[in-house]
Each structure stands twice: as C-alpha cells, then as structure tokens.
Amino acid sequence: MSRKIICITGVTSGVGRETARRFIREGWKVIGTGRRQARLDELKEELGKDFLGLCFDVARREIVIEMFASLPAEFRDIDVLLNNAGSSIGQNPAQTGDMNDWDEMIATNINGLLYCTRVVLPGMIERGRGHIVNIGSVAGSRAFRCGNVYGATKAFVNHFSRMLRTDLLGTPVRVTNIKPGHLHTEFLAVRFKGDLAVSEAAYENMDPLTPENIAEAVWWSVNVPAHMDICDMEIMPMCQSDGGWAFAHKS
C-alpha cells in the first residue's frame, strides 16, 4: 500500500510545523508550503526525504495552480489538505483599521484557503478518498474588541466548511473545521507587528494551548473511522472562557 500524503499550508511555524512533525513520525509523506525558504530548508533537514517544502504564497492564485500542477509524482496523490496558513494583523478598531492589513488577512485567510481547496479537491474525488481540514478560530463565532476583520475571515472559514461538506455529500471526502482558542505561537507576534514584549505578555501566568495540542487534534480527526466526519472541533485552554457582555456608560 502506498504511503499517505498530507499537504500543510503555513508549515514554517506553530501548528503547521508541529503537524508536519506528527505525521512524519507516523510514516506519512508531507508537503509543506510557506513563504520563508530558510525555515523550509530547516524542516527538510530535520524531517528528511519524506518532506517536500514549497516556497510560495497561497494568496497568489496562479502560483497555487502552478505549484500543485508541478508536484513530483510521488507527492501528487494528496490524502489530506490542512489549510493552516493564516494571519491576524493589527490591533485597531474598524474605524481606524489599516486597509492594507485587511487586504492581507482576507487574501491569506480566505483566498488562500479557497485556492488550495479548489485545486486539490478534484483529485480527492477522483481517487475516492480525501479530507479537507481547515484551521478556523473561536474568533469566527465570538466578537471581541479589535478582532473585526480577522474574526470575519474566520467566520467565513466556519461557514465555508459547512457549505463544502454539503457540496461533498455522497463522496468519500471529509471536511473538518478545527477552532482553537488562546494558542501560544508566533501568531500574536505578527498581530502586534513584531512587538514581542506585548505579544508574550498575552501568555503570562497562563497555560494556553500549544501547537502540539492542535497537531494532535488534526491527527485524531484524520484517523477516525471512514464513516465518521469530525465536522467542528472547538478547543479551549482551561484558562479561557467567554467574557460576558460589555457596556458603554454615559459620561
């Protein structure tokens, strides 16, 4: 039997990197995409011949089409697509938001996910097996201050995952949306535009989720019996819950 293949977008840090390590340990082949060639080279050295690193931006449609069309034969039959690439940039309310930040979040979190899914799905259906796993967020179903466009992109991921599953009804292709809560990765460093003092302060005196936790959730959801589909999985650390209502008082 040929070895299974997972394609992971945003593989160069956090959840993507840990998921690549998890699946390699289990004997899978891994295609990993990212925008940082040096990080991809490091992963190749660590993970060996069963890892194929591809340096490109998933938000560029023509490049996505070209890269998947030119995959080596031994990596072509993708069993699982993990749409993990994403970004949250800026800390402003909508009325002062940076529209360049908005464009980048929409391009990566929405367009990149769509392009990769569209390119990979036909092969899965033709081969009679496959699984699309999307990394959403609890921000897709909850409002929080200054989460405006980021939260809206993750709400898109939530609903697109549900709609995708209805489109695939009658096929053997599964769809899973994993929605982490407070997660310790480089993610907040990007949101705060490299201010590590601010981003790391968000984790002080807490036990947030780790990339390994989410990698384990991906592994489990992919390996349940074939007649099961883990449609939605919300994962919170014990240090986090909903915060209740906010009110503005008259001055």
Side-chain angles (χ1 to χ4, degrees):
M1 181 180 292
S2 61
R3 294 166 65 191
K4 290 185 176 181
I5 301 168
I6 182 172
C7 177
I8 303 170
T9 67
V11 79
T12 55
S13 65
V15 170
R17 183 170 58 195
E18 292 307 320
T19 304
R21 289 167 172 161
R22 181 71 169 91
F23 277 71
I24 286 285
R25 287 200 303 270
E26 299 294 341
W28 284 51
K29 293 182 179 180
V30 175
I31 303 165
T33 82
R35 293 183 293 181
R36 292 175 285 188
Q37 185 64 59
R39 291 273 186 101
L40 291 170
D41 291 343
E42 290 170 4
L43 272 175
K44 178 66 175 178
E45 184 174 350
E46 174 188 344
L47 301 179
K49 62 182 177 58
D50 290 326
F51 175 78
L52 174 66
L54 301 176
C55 188
F56 69 95
D57 184 350
V58 295
R60 299 178 62 187
R61 186 203 304 177
E62 296 305 319
I63 297 297
V64 171
I65 294 170
E66 176 186 338
M67 295 301 286
F68 280 99
S70 60
L71 285 172
E74 63 271 23
F75 283 92
R76 195 165 295 160
D77 295 343
I78 296 170
D79 296 282
V80 177
L81 170 64
L82 176 61
N83 284 310
N84 168 70
S87 64
S88 174
I89 313 171
Q91 184 65 2
N92 294 328
Q95 60 268 31
T96 60
D98 185 327
M99 287 188 280
N100 291 322
D101 292 345
W102 293 1
D103 287 345
E104 183 169 344
M105 285 186 280
I106 291 166
T108 303
N109 300 358
I110 296 179
N111 294 346
L113 181 147
L114 290 176
Y115 300 155
C116 292
T117 300
R118 176 60 181 85
V119 169
V120 170
L121 261 181
M124 290 181 169
I125 295 171
E126 182 180 348
R127 290 187 295 274
R129 67 181 190 275
H131 198 152
I132 305 294
V133 182
N134 297 324
I135 299 297
S137 170
V138 297
S141 55
R142 292 169 171 81
F144 62 94
R145 198 170 189 82
C146 300
N148 40 72
V149 173
Y150 172 72
T153 65
K154 291 304 184 179
F156 173 88
V157 174
N158 284 351
H159 206 56
F160 178 72
S161 298
R162 295 188 184 103
M163 292 293 192
L164 183 59
R165 190 166 184 273
T166 65
D167 287 347
L168 293 169
L169 185 64
T171 79
V173 180
R174 300 187 288 189
V175 181
T176 296
N177 182 25
I178 297 177
K179 298 174 283 188
H182 198 40
L183 174 64
H184 195 168
T185 67
E186 296 176 10
F187 198 72
L188 282 186
V190 174
R191 183 176 183 188
F192 293 110
K193 301 191 174 183
D195 191 333
L196 295 178
V198 174
S199 64
E200 286 303 308
Y203 303 112
E204 286 180 3
N205 301 315
M206 294 185 191
D207 290 314
L209 300 172
T210 68
E212 292 87 351
N213 297 151
I214 307 307
E216 193 63 33
V218 174
W219 173 256
W220 178 76
S221 67
V222 165
N223 285 283
V224 297
H227 70 285
M228 293 174 58
D229 189 359
I230 308 303
C231 304
D232 290 278
M233 186 189 303
E234 183 174 285
I235 307 173
M236 288 277 206
M238 290 297 290
C239 62
Q240 181 181 13
S241 85
D242 293 343
W245 295 100
F247 298 91
H249 296 276
K250 293 181 179 180
S251 57

